[in-house]
Amino acid sequence: MFETLFKYPMKLFEEGTIRFSGPFQLELRIIGIIALALVVIWLYRRAPQRVKGGKKWSLAALRIIAVGLLLLILFPPVLETKETKTDDRFVAFLMDDSRSMTIEDASDGKTRLEAAVKVLAGKSGEGADGAFSSVSEVCGVRMFGFERELARIPDIGALKAEGDATDLYTAVRGVDEEMRGVPLAGVVLISDGNHNGRGDPLNAARLLAARGVPMYTVGLGDPTRVADREILAVQAPRTARRNANVDIVVTVSSHEYTDEFEVLLRKGDRTVATRVVTPASASDIQRVRIPLMLSKEGSHTYRVEIPPEQGEKIVDNNARDFRIRVKEHRLPVLYIEGSPRTEFRYVRGAMVKDKDFRIVSILRLGGDRYLVQGAETDPELLKGFPKTREKLFAYEAIIFGDIEAKEFSKEQLAMVEEFVRKRGGGFLMLGGVNSFNRGGFVGTPIEKLLPIRLASKSVRYDHREFRIKAATRGLTHAVMRQHDDPVTNNNIWNTVSPLIGRNPVKGLKPAATALMELLDTGEPVLAVQNYGSGRSAAFTTGGSWYWRMNRKIEDQLHDRFWKQLVRWLAVGSKPKLSIELSRDIVSLKEPLKIKATVLGKSLEPVNDAIVTAHVEDPFGNSEEVSLEWILTEDGVYSGRVRPREEGEFTVTVKADTGKDNAPLEAKVTFTVAQSPIEFSGAWQNEQQLKDLAELTGGKYYTEKDVANLAKDIREHIEKDVHRNQEYKARDLWDMPALFVILTVLLSIEWLFRRRSGLP
Amino acid sequence: MYTPLENLEEWKADALKALRQTLDRRSFMRQGLTALTGAAMYGTLLKCFAGTHVLADEPDVPKSAVKTGTFFFPRLKFDVLNAHSGWNVYPIADVILRRTLTKLTNINVSEEPVVVSLADMKSLVRYPFIFATDERRFRFPKNEEANLREFLLRGGFVYGDDCIHGRNKILFFEDYRRMMNRIWPDNPMRRVPDSHEIYHCYFDFPKGLPYLQGQDIGGWGTFDKQSGRLLTYVTPTDLHCGWTCRFFTPKLNEASIKMGINIIIYYLSH
């Protein structure tokens, strides 16, 4: 009955307070009522005199009460009660959906994903005794899956553990944003804690902590490091020339396995090289150097792997893929020599036999007469060294034989310096009676290029024989590799026949590296350095031909040395359009950066080209990406693509540099494949999960004690009840009792008026 | 300022006396003869190079050529069959060729006479260019033939010239060819075509090898199968006797020296 009349139960009226909620202030309301009362009184004072005073004022009082009540209804009145929120609060479940969840190191030999399902859905898998249903009894729940990105999932069945990364930062940050407008009671993170994304998860957790949202972390997987062998890293050049020798440096770790093991370099099903590693301790990390000869052009994918040990739990980290692009065009080399000499014959001969080189030689025969070989039809070369950038920059390496600086103009010497610094070409000066200090190069741009400090001009060419040794850093250098085995390589250089004649030098420049030294004094004989975008070398002898003549025909030391040296020098040379990808093997949905460098006719950077990249997926679908000029780098354009399929992608970059120039086009390929990073250091990162929980005021659980999760969340909500109370206002203007009273008052007043003869 | 001599007659008598004391009749005759011989040789050399443009076009001679490296012109010492060996015939030819090389090219030529043997591989490899000549039949021992093959494959170069037995017998040339064909049976010696670089790389020989005596069958060579480079070159026309400037016309002498220079330039540039 009470509730019928007063709309709400009596208890609410006992606990709550009645207030007015309209826009008017209390004073205004009182003034309004008084003003209305005065108006009513004034009206009744003007009433006819036949109505007696007592009756008149009774009528006025009735009218004032009725109108006052009406005003009260209009203000309007509300019943305000203090209430605790419970069922409208939410808990977000963050489920790790990365590939590391497939590791079988959870309890009872289950995979981590199976353990996660068990935690959520309970032993039966039907959900009755799982954390998810337990928590959902206390409050609302939302479920998210995460790997590289965060996504809402409908149920546990949506988890596939196929993600190529575990990005806890993105996950926590994402849930904070997704649940920004929702009362969040807590976040439950179920993961192995192996964050391999970019940001720091603790920074993201601080945002939750600031909102007073605790993180309950459930750690899956074995937190102790299991016996495991792993490929930690592979270092390999991304591009190389055909027939180049390159080093693949593999970092391997071995934990709790003390027996020696093999590291295999494979290409498809074929094993290219094998190295045996002997762990020095029970937990050891070693670097293995595997030399590789690249004989075929094109893009090649190699795999480095350690055959799994019997019972090894984590085997997905035993292999890594890498890719090398082998350039197919012939390396153009320009070699200028001061006069016919034996060294010229043998240096040129080492490269002319090899189809990977296109050697153009200018041999000065005296006066203005030159013998040009390799480009006999070029009339400009018959007059000597090229005079224009366009001609000179067509080469990728320049060799100065025994020739003096006077042979060149100042502009030509400056061009050579620019050739190395800007174009990325290689420069080599050979020893001789007219080169280095004897050639008058002191004070010229060439002196800046050279990796050695020149002696004064008065120091003569030493015609005597001398013995050399490989410098410490030279032993492992690509130029000096004569044998895959470093010890054998060292022996080869230590027993190599003497050289004949050399230019004494003052010493090395600070950034240079000596590869070959005089046996007795340690003076550099062969030195190299990076210079700008390119490389330079100084070989201070003119008698290396003796290596060829003094070794058996099967021994290719001389030819191999020269080819390796020139290949190494020219490694930085840039074509007119070059493409650089941030990675050659990427994971699905991983952003890939495409950088293109556009050069003009004289290989000057072009900043106003229109550059587009066509990215074709394995199914032939093409996506066009516009590459924009990077303001900070001349001639460099950049764009991003996010591959959505697995397989081989082709990137074709086209650059339009203006009407006068032909459009440029270049192609590269990349592979979208599963990344091994998920299995690197894949034991449970317990500390990470504990830190997240501690920072936000939550708690860390294992599979064993996760049953307490729902209880803890409930306790947290209840403990936090004062923070979760809210005032609720209920309208009273439509309370039936008010209408009844108003009707009764107005009816009585009307009856009195009628009986008093008033209208 | 000019000061006239007052005792001129006395000064003349003293000078004559001093001259008689230093130069007696015998020594005068000896020195005079030496001077005449020198003048005659110089004249002959001059004749050698007195302008002939028939067999080869002469390039511009560099006036101040910059010279680098050191080129040696060693002779190969070997035995011939049933006769005295003539490997060392006319060493003056080498001297003249070396001097002319120095004069006409910017090659830094060593004046040092060098003799090498195929039996001594150690010293052989120090001289990648070898000159061999004789007029008789020869056959190297097996180990020397093996050394020769190895020497050539390592990048060495042998130039052989037949000294010509009689007027036209090319015994050395024939044995040289036979030997090379034995070393490389699948790559026999072939006649070097007239258009080959060896005839044009410095002086121009439009008609190929100049003929002095022997057989006019051109120069023959073994070509590297891979690069096409000449591994060895042999001539049946007694070129080196032309270098001596003693036996042929000045025109032929000059042509032989120029051809010798071409062979060396070809070797140094290929």
Side-chain angles (χ1 to χ4, degrees), chain A residues 339 345 402 465 549 553, chain B residues 68 126 150 154-155 267 270:
Chain A
S339 71
R345 177 173 189 263
D402 192 6
E465 277 186 12
M549 286 305 294
I553 184 61
Chain B
T68 66
R126 289 182 163 273
E150 181 75 16
R154 287 186 196 182
Y267 151 74
H270 289 79

Side-chain angles (χ1 to χ4, degrees), chain A residues 338-340 344-346 348 353 364-366 369 371 373 402 433-434 465 545 548-553, chain B residues 59 62 66-69 106-107 125-126 128 150-151 153-156 201-202 226 229 265 267-270:
Chain A
S339 71
F344 168 80
R345 177 173 189 263
Y346 282 82
R348 183 181 170 276
K353 285 183 279 187
R364 188 176 60 185
L365 295 177
R369 193 166 176 216
L371 175 68
Q373 292 166 284
D402 192 6
V433 292
N434 295 309
E465 277 186 12
W545 60 267
R548 174 61 279 172
M549 286 305 294
N550 202 28
R551 302 183 82 86
K552 287 190 174 174
I553 184 61
Chain B
V66 179
K67 292 169 180 182
T68 66
N106 60 347
I107 301 169
V125 294
R126 289 182 163 273
E150 181 75 16
F151 172 82
L153 286 177
R154 287 186 196 182
C201 59
Y202 198 67
Q226 194 187 347
R229 178 177 67 86
I265 294 270
Y267 151 74
L268 285 171
S269 59
H270 289 79

